[in-house]
Amino acid sequence: MSERFDLIVLGAGSGGLSAAQRAARLGARVALFDPDALGGTCVNRGCVPKKAMWFAAQIADMHRLGAEIGFESSPLRLDWARFRTLRDQYIAGIRHRYATRLDTAGIRVITQAARLVASDTVLTAQGIEASAPHIVIATGASPRRLDMPGFQLGMLSDQIFMLDAPPQHIAIVGGGYVAVEFACLMRGLGCRVDLLVREHLLTGFDRELVEALAMQMQAHGIRIVRNTRLKRARGEPGKITLEANDGVEHGVYDAVLWAIGRVPNSHDLGLEALGVERDEAGHILVDASQVTSVPGIYAVGDVTDRRALTPVAVAAGRALAERLFAGHGEEPFEDQDIPSVVFSEPPLGAIGLTEQQAHARYGDAVNVHTGRYTPLLWMVAGRSEQSMVKLLSVGEERKVVGIHVLGPGSDELLQGFAVAMRKGLYWRDLKSTIAIHPTAAEELLLLH
């Protein structure tokens, strides 16, 4: 017999939790299905453990910088096993708090995978059936795998968090967020790093700043090998060689991290039989209100073709619940001018259009304002690397359509600028604002 709910959510990651919790607060009876740990990729295998490792790498770099400016220094070695224990305890606390909130909200949590058997009904392999007039698919995405000989010798991003000791020499294959971030943090923690890139680094970010980041990565000792297409991995765990199509061999490596993108978890959900449309990559297609091609079925987060960022999934899930249970009509979730940051060394942040995108949209009406500077602490230490800021405005009014920052603190300073851009930011607003000195943020106000 099928149990009836007002809302069923498949997936307990950021988007699914957001939709379920907001709907419950609005009085809906909610069922949440997920066989995995509460919190999904972000909490368990993504943003949270990655940022913890990034902080550890930052501490190591600050220790080196401290020596450069005169502090007494002794070798600094991370106890990886202790760090992993502390990090995992923190993550377990997050999951516990989620469980408490779900229980308090009266949300029925079923720790099983479910698939749709009708547009209003789901069924688990263990025979639990539930129905609701609204079903949200929030099953996320998983690391991409390759059908390549020896692929199993390497790790996926899910597995790198299980390391108890750092590899001496690691190859990271890929050019996106995950690849660049792990290349930087592993180097910061003392590993030799080769970054093997098929084509471009960080597609979607401003090319000029990406190249500036690449130069700094190489200056920090990361070997970047571009235009590399691999055909096999061979050897054994701890002694891995990578072979490229052009006959060049790379290695021998202690470890290999495959960071070659992610694929949506849209398989085995019963979507084909119901006619839920997906793109060639498997992303569920949704409109501005998160509605799929089948009435009553919705999708949020990385399983869709929208930007794969945790805050985007959270906002989309919350907005969907408001529309369904608070009578907010068909007001769409606005996904323009979303800030994003690559936690590289130094971090790279962006809001709005890149220079290339701005020219494609506005042509000659684009004004490009670029500045370079060396952060004060780096100058004191005698370092010569430069940070970079770029601002794009359009038309006679010079409305700001893009802000890009490469340098220490860019991950924090961009949030306030994102609020300003959402409200409608103009060049004159920046020029009339008094800067905080000396800071990295003031560099955006000092542009010419």
Side-chain angles (χ1 to χ4, degrees):
M1 182 176 178
S2 179
E3 189 172 358
R4 190 71 175 173
F5 296 88
D6 300 312
L7 177 71
I8 291 173
V9 179
L10 306 186
S14 302
L17 287 169
S18 175
Q21 291 174 315
R22 180 55 61 93
R25 289 194 195 102
L26 294 172
R29 187 163 184 259
V30 181
L32 179 64
F33 289 80
D34 197 324
D36 204 350
L38 293 175
T41 294
C42 181
V43 168
N44 299 289
R45 300 176 298 277
C47 325
V48 174
K50 180 274 306 277
K51 189 68 180 289
M53 290 185 72
W54 184 78
F55 277 130
Q58 292 288 294
I59 292 170
D61 187 60
M62 288 301 293
H63 181 266
R64 290 186 287 268
L65 188 59
E68 292 175 31
I69 65 173
F71 280 90
E72 293 184 5
S73 178
S74 58
L76 188 69
R77 185 184 66 85
L78 176 66
D79 183 337
W80 280 64
R82 174 171 169 75
F83 172 75
R84 177 181 166 184
T85 297
L86 294 172
R87 183 198 65 207
D88 291 351
Q89 287 175 350
Y90 171 65
I91 292 171
I94 297 175
R95 292 197 296 260
H96 175 73
R97 290 190 290 274
Y98 276 138
T100 300
R101 292 171 191 162
L102 293 171
D103 182 64
T104 301
I107 296 171
R108 171 86 178 278
V109 178
I110 299 98
T111 55
Q112 299 175 23
R115 65 193 311 272
L116 286 87
V117 293
S119 62
D120 66 345
T121 305
V122 301
L123 179 66
T124 73
Q126 292 78 13
I128 294 178
E129 184 175 286
S131 63
H134 306 290
I135 298 177
V136 178
I137 301 171
T139 47
S142 299
R144 183 183 301 279
R145 299 172 182 269
L146 294 178
D147 185 15
M148 172 193 294
F151 185 82
Q152 73 282 356
L153 291 170
M155 299 178 291
L156 298 172
S157 58
D158 291 358
Q159 299 164 304
I160 198 167
F161 298 114
M162 299 173 66
L163 289 174
D164 282 326
Q168 292 185 359
H169 193 187
I170 184 171
I172 299 177
V173 182
Y177 270 92
V178 175
V180 170
E181 290 180 337
F182 274 103
C184 292
L185 70 84
M186 295 299 280
R187 179 58 187 157
L189 292 172
C191 305
R192 288 175 57 201
V193 178
D194 288 2
L195 180 61
L196 308 181
V197 184
R198 184 168 184 175
E199 292 182 15
H200 303 292
L201 281 177
L202 297 173
T203 301
F205 282 82
D206 190 272
R207 294 175 193 166
E208 188 176 9
L209 273 76
V210 169
E211 288 308 310
L213 171 61
M215 290 180 64
Q216 293 203 34
M217 291 171 65
Q218 292 174 108
H220 294 166
I222 297 171
R223 178 172 172 257
I224 301 177
V225 185
R226 303 185 190 239
N227 301 313
T228 301
R229 288 169 169 76
L230 301 176
K231 63 180 179 181
R232 69 170 57 89
R234 72 168 194 271
E236 59 186 69
K239 296 180 179 179
I240 306 168
T241 298
L242 299 176
E243 298 181 24
N245 287 342
D246 58 7
V248 176
E249 294 188 351
H250 302 278
V252 176
Y253 299 108
D254 301 277
V256 171
L257 170 63
W258 304 106
I260 47 179
R262 298 177 66 80
V263 294
N265 296 326
S266 62
H267 57 284
D268 297 330
L269 294 177
L271 303 182
E272 299 86 349
L274 296 176
V276 177
E277 294 181 0
R278 296 180 294 169
D279 64 16
E280 292 183 359
H283 297 101
I284 298 175
L285 301 179
V286 295
D287 64 13
S289 298
Q290 307 302 133
V291 180
T292 71
S293 56
V294 175
I297 299 178
Y298 315 84
V300 299
D302 295 4
V303 76
T304 73
D305 60 345
R306 301 303 173 87
R307 294 189 67 179
L309 296 170
T310 292
V312 173
V314 170
R318 184 181 299 124
L320 175 60
E322 292 280 350
R323 286 194 298 274
L324 295 178
F325 300 105
H328 287 184
E330 294 303 312
E331 182 178 346
F333 162 59
E334 296 184 10
D335 58 358
Q336 302 299 313
D337 297 330
I338 295 171
S340 59
V341 170
V342 181
F343 287 98
S344 48
E345 178 49 45
L348 170 64
I351 315 168
L353 303 179
T354 66
E355 182 177 346
Q356 297 75 32
Q357 292 167 342
H359 281 301
R361 181 176 299 184
Y362 298 107
D364 294 337
V366 177
N367 306 293
V368 181
H369 312 271
T370 303
R372 295 176 182 270
Y373 67 99
T374 300
L376 190 152
L377 182 57
W378 290 4
M379 292 185 71
V380 172
R383 294 186 180 184
S384 60
E385 298 103 317
Q386 286 193 313
S387 295
M388 186 174 178
V389 293
K390 177 182 286 190
L391 184 143
L392 306 165
S393 63
V394 296
E396 293 183 4
E397 290 288 301
R398 293 200 175 190
K399 183 176 182 179
V400 177
V401 296
I403 297 177
H404 306 270
V405 183
L406 172 68
S410 59
D411 50 317
E412 297 291 346
L413 71 86
L414 270 180
Q415 189 68 76
F417 286 100
V419 175
M421 281 188 64
R422 293 282 290 184
K423 289 295 187 179
L425 178 64
Y426 291 84
W427 176 254
R428 61 178 178 270
D429 299 321
L430 294 170
K431 303 314 291 182
S432 64
T433 299
I434 303 299
I436 303 171
H437 177 76
T439 64
E442 74 174 320
E443 297 297 332
L444 282 166
L445 306 185
L446 302 177
L447 288 170
H448 298 290

